[in-house]
Short mmCIF file of all heavy atoms in Angstrom, two decimals:
data_model
loop_
_atom_site.label_atom_id
_atom_site.label_comp_id
_atom_site.label_asym_id
_atom_site.label_seq_id
_atom_site.Cartn_x
_atom_site.Cartn_y
_atom_site.Cartn_z
N MET A 243 10.37 -8.41 -45.34
CA MET A 243 10.90 -8.60 -43.98
C MET A 243 10.69 -10.04 -43.57
O MET A 243 9.61 -10.63 -43.78
CB MET A 243 10.19 -7.65 -43.01
CG MET A 243 10.83 -7.59 -41.64
SD MET A 243 10.15 -6.25 -40.62
CE MET A 243 8.43 -6.75 -40.54
N ALA A 244 11.71 -10.61 -42.94
CA ALA A 244 11.68 -12.04 -42.60
C ALA A 244 10.56 -12.37 -41.65
O ALA A 244 10.02 -13.48 -41.66
CB ALA A 244 13.02 -12.45 -41.98
N LEU A 245 10.16 -11.39 -40.85
CA LEU A 245 9.15 -11.66 -39.82
C LEU A 245 7.78 -11.95 -40.43
O LEU A 245 6.98 -12.67 -39.84
CB LEU A 245 9.04 -10.45 -38.89
CG LEU A 245 8.16 -10.62 -37.65
CD1 LEU A 245 8.69 -11.76 -36.80
CD2 LEU A 245 8.12 -9.34 -36.85
N THR A 246 7.50 -11.42 -41.63
CA THR A 246 6.20 -11.63 -42.25
C THR A 246 5.99 -13.08 -42.64
O THR A 246 4.85 -13.51 -42.84
CB THR A 246 6.06 -10.74 -43.49
OG1 THR A 246 7.14 -11.02 -44.39
CG2 THR A 246 6.09 -9.27 -43.10
N HIS A 247 7.05 -13.84 -42.77
CA HIS A 247 6.94 -15.25 -43.12
C HIS A 247 6.58 -16.10 -41.91
O HIS A 247 6.27 -17.27 -42.05
CB HIS A 247 8.25 -15.76 -43.74
CG HIS A 247 8.63 -15.03 -44.99
ND1 HIS A 247 7.97 -15.20 -46.19
CD2 HIS A 247 9.61 -14.11 -45.22
CE1 HIS A 247 8.51 -14.43 -47.12
NE2 HIS A 247 9.52 -13.76 -46.55
N ASN A 248 6.63 -15.55 -40.77
CA ASN A 248 6.29 -16.28 -39.56
C ASN A 248 5.06 -15.63 -38.94
O ASN A 248 5.16 -14.63 -38.22
CB ASN A 248 7.47 -16.27 -38.58
CG ASN A 248 7.29 -17.27 -37.45
OD1 ASN A 248 6.16 -17.63 -37.09
ND2 ASN A 248 8.39 -17.72 -36.89
N VAL A 249 3.89 -16.16 -39.27
CA VAL A 249 2.63 -15.53 -38.85
C VAL A 249 2.52 -15.50 -37.33
O VAL A 249 2.14 -14.48 -36.74
CB VAL A 249 1.43 -16.28 -39.47
CG1 VAL A 249 0.12 -15.68 -38.98
CG2 VAL A 249 1.50 -16.24 -40.98
N TRP A 250 2.84 -16.60 -36.69
CA TRP A 250 2.71 -16.67 -35.24
C TRP A 250 3.64 -15.68 -34.54
O TRP A 250 3.26 -15.05 -33.55
CB TRP A 250 2.98 -18.08 -34.74
CG TRP A 250 1.85 -19.02 -35.00
CD1 TRP A 250 1.85 -20.09 -35.86
CD2 TRP A 250 0.54 -18.97 -34.44
NE1 TRP A 250 0.64 -20.71 -35.87
CE2 TRP A 250 -0.20 -20.05 -35.00
CE3 TRP A 250 -0.09 -18.14 -33.53
CZ2 TRP A 250 -1.52 -20.31 -34.66
CZ3 TRP A 250 -1.41 -18.39 -33.19
CH2 TRP A 250 -2.11 -19.46 -33.75
N ALA A 251 4.83 -15.55 -35.07
CA ALA A 251 5.77 -14.59 -34.49
C ALA A 251 5.21 -13.17 -34.61
O ALA A 251 5.32 -12.36 -33.67
CB ALA A 251 7.12 -14.69 -35.17
N PHE A 252 4.62 -12.87 -35.76
CA PHE A 252 4.05 -11.54 -35.97
C PHE A 252 2.87 -11.30 -35.03
O PHE A 252 2.76 -10.22 -34.41
CB PHE A 252 3.60 -11.40 -37.42
CG PHE A 252 3.05 -10.04 -37.74
CD1 PHE A 252 3.89 -8.96 -37.90
CD2 PHE A 252 1.68 -9.85 -37.88
CE1 PHE A 252 3.40 -7.70 -38.19
CE2 PHE A 252 1.17 -8.60 -38.17
CZ PHE A 252 2.02 -7.52 -38.33
N VAL A 253 1.99 -12.29 -34.88
CA VAL A 253 0.82 -12.16 -34.01
C VAL A 253 1.24 -11.96 -32.56
O VAL A 253 0.78 -11.03 -31.88
CB VAL A 253 -0.09 -13.40 -34.14
CG1 VAL A 253 -1.18 -13.38 -33.07
CG2 VAL A 253 -0.73 -13.47 -35.52
N PHE A 254 2.14 -12.81 -32.07
CA PHE A 254 2.59 -12.69 -30.68
C PHE A 254 3.39 -11.40 -30.47
O PHE A 254 3.34 -10.80 -29.40
CB PHE A 254 3.43 -13.90 -30.28
CG PHE A 254 2.62 -15.14 -30.05
CD1 PHE A 254 2.89 -16.30 -30.76
CD2 PHE A 254 1.58 -15.16 -29.12
CE1 PHE A 254 2.13 -17.46 -30.55
CE2 PHE A 254 0.83 -16.31 -28.90
CZ PHE A 254 1.11 -17.45 -29.63
N GLY A 255 4.11 -10.97 -31.49
CA GLY A 255 4.86 -9.72 -31.38
C GLY A 255 3.94 -8.51 -31.25
O GLY A 255 4.20 -7.61 -30.43
N ILE A 256 2.88 -8.48 -32.05
CA ILE A 256 1.90 -7.37 -31.97
C ILE A 256 1.20 -7.40 -30.61
O ILE A 256 1.03 -6.35 -29.96
CB ILE A 256 0.87 -7.47 -33.11
CG1 ILE A 256 1.56 -7.24 -34.46
CG2 ILE A 256 -0.25 -6.46 -32.90
CD1 ILE A 256 2.16 -5.87 -34.63
N MET A 257 0.77 -8.60 -30.20
CA MET A 257 0.13 -8.71 -28.88
C MET A 257 1.08 -8.26 -27.77
O MET A 257 0.68 -7.56 -26.84
CB MET A 257 -0.31 -10.17 -28.64
CG MET A 257 -1.47 -10.62 -29.50
SD MET A 257 -1.85 -12.38 -29.25
CE MET A 257 -2.22 -12.40 -27.49
N GLY A 258 2.34 -8.67 -27.86
CA GLY A 258 3.31 -8.27 -26.86
C GLY A 258 3.51 -6.77 -26.82
O GLY A 258 3.66 -6.17 -25.74
N ASN A 259 3.51 -6.13 -28.00
CA ASN A 259 3.64 -4.67 -28.05
C ASN A 259 2.47 -3.98 -27.36
O ASN A 259 2.67 -3.04 -26.58
CB ASN A 259 3.73 -4.21 -29.50
CG ASN A 259 5.15 -4.21 -30.05
OD1 ASN A 259 5.75 -3.17 -30.25
ND2 ASN A 259 5.70 -5.40 -30.25
N SER A 310 14.64 -9.52 -37.72
CA SER A 310 13.72 -10.38 -36.97
C SER A 310 13.39 -9.81 -35.59
O SER A 310 12.47 -10.28 -34.93
CB SER A 310 14.30 -11.79 -36.82
OG SER A 310 15.53 -11.74 -36.11
N LEU A 313 9.95 -5.98 -33.92
CA LEU A 313 8.89 -5.74 -32.93
C LEU A 313 9.48 -5.55 -31.52
O LEU A 313 8.83 -4.93 -30.67
CB LEU A 313 7.88 -6.87 -32.94
CG LEU A 313 7.03 -6.97 -34.22
CD1 LEU A 313 6.11 -8.17 -34.18
CD2 LEU A 313 6.24 -5.69 -34.42
N THR A 421 3.13 -13.85 -23.52
CA THR A 421 3.12 -13.46 -24.93
C THR A 421 4.53 -13.39 -25.50
O THR A 421 4.82 -13.92 -26.59
CB THR A 421 2.44 -12.09 -25.10
OG1 THR A 421 1.13 -12.14 -24.55
CG2 THR A 421 2.34 -11.70 -26.57
N TRP A 422 5.45 -12.76 -24.77
CA TRP A 422 6.83 -12.66 -25.26
C TRP A 422 7.54 -14.01 -25.20
O TRP A 422 8.47 -14.26 -25.99
CB TRP A 422 7.61 -11.61 -24.46
CG TRP A 422 7.21 -10.21 -24.81
CD1 TRP A 422 6.56 -9.32 -24.02
CD2 TRP A 422 7.44 -9.56 -26.06
NE1 TRP A 422 6.36 -8.14 -24.70
CE2 TRP A 422 6.88 -8.26 -25.95
CE3 TRP A 422 8.04 -9.93 -27.27
CZ2 TRP A 422 6.92 -7.34 -27.01
CZ3 TRP A 422 8.07 -9.02 -28.31
CH2 TRP A 422 7.53 -7.75 -28.18
N PHE A 424 6.07 -16.89 -26.01
CA PHE A 424 5.66 -17.53 -27.27
C PHE A 424 6.30 -16.83 -28.47
O PHE A 424 6.58 -17.49 -29.49
CB PHE A 424 4.14 -17.54 -27.40
CG PHE A 424 3.48 -18.61 -26.56
CD1 PHE A 424 2.73 -18.28 -25.46
CD2 PHE A 424 3.63 -19.96 -26.87
CE1 PHE A 424 2.13 -19.25 -24.68
CE2 PHE A 424 3.04 -20.95 -26.10
CZ PHE A 424 2.29 -20.59 -25.00
N TYR A 425 6.50 -15.53 -28.37
CA TYR A 425 7.18 -14.82 -29.45
C TYR A 425 8.62 -15.32 -29.59
O TYR A 425 9.10 -15.57 -30.71
CB TYR A 425 7.18 -13.31 -29.17
CG TYR A 425 7.99 -12.50 -30.14
CD1 TYR A 425 7.50 -12.20 -31.41
CD2 TYR A 425 9.27 -12.05 -29.81
CE1 TYR A 425 8.26 -11.46 -32.32
CE2 TYR A 425 10.03 -11.32 -30.69
CZ TYR A 425 9.53 -11.02 -31.95
OH TYR A 425 10.29 -10.30 -32.85
N GLY A 426 9.30 -15.48 -28.44
CA GLY A 426 10.67 -15.99 -28.48
C GLY A 426 10.73 -17.41 -29.04
O GLY A 426 11.65 -17.75 -29.81
N LEU A 427 9.75 -18.24 -28.70
CA LEU A 427 9.71 -19.59 -29.24
C LEU A 427 9.42 -19.58 -30.74
O LEU A 427 9.97 -20.40 -31.49
CB LEU A 427 8.65 -20.42 -28.50
CG LEU A 427 8.92 -20.70 -27.02
CD1 LEU A 427 7.75 -21.43 -26.38
CD2 LEU A 427 10.22 -21.51 -26.84
N ALA A 428 8.56 -18.62 -31.15
CA ALA A 428 8.20 -18.55 -32.57
C ALA A 428 9.39 -18.15 -33.44
O ALA A 428 9.54 -18.65 -34.56
CB ALA A 428 7.05 -17.57 -32.76
N ILE A 429 10.21 -17.25 -32.95
CA ILE A 429 11.37 -16.83 -33.73
C ILE A 429 12.62 -17.63 -33.35
O ILE A 429 13.72 -17.34 -33.83
CB ILE A 429 11.65 -15.32 -33.56
CG1 ILE A 429 12.02 -14.99 -32.11
CG2 ILE A 429 10.47 -14.49 -34.02
CD1 ILE A 429 12.46 -13.55 -31.90
N LYS A 430 12.43 -18.62 -32.46
CA LYS A 430 13.50 -19.51 -32.02
C LYS A 430 14.67 -18.73 -31.40
O LYS A 430 15.83 -18.96 -31.73
CB LYS A 430 13.99 -20.36 -33.20
CG LYS A 430 12.91 -21.26 -33.76
CD LYS A 430 13.41 -22.07 -34.94
CE LYS A 430 12.30 -22.94 -35.51
NZ LYS A 430 12.76 -23.76 -36.68
#
Side-chain angles (χ1 to χ4, degrees):
M243 190 170 61
L245 187 60
T246 56
H247 299 288
N248 193 334
V249 177
W250 284 113
F252 182 75
V253 170
F254 286 123
I256 294 296
M257 290 176 60
N259 273 252
S310 61
L313 292 177
T421 304
W422 286 113
F424 282 110
Y425 173 78
L427 294 175
I429 64 174
K430 298 178 181 180

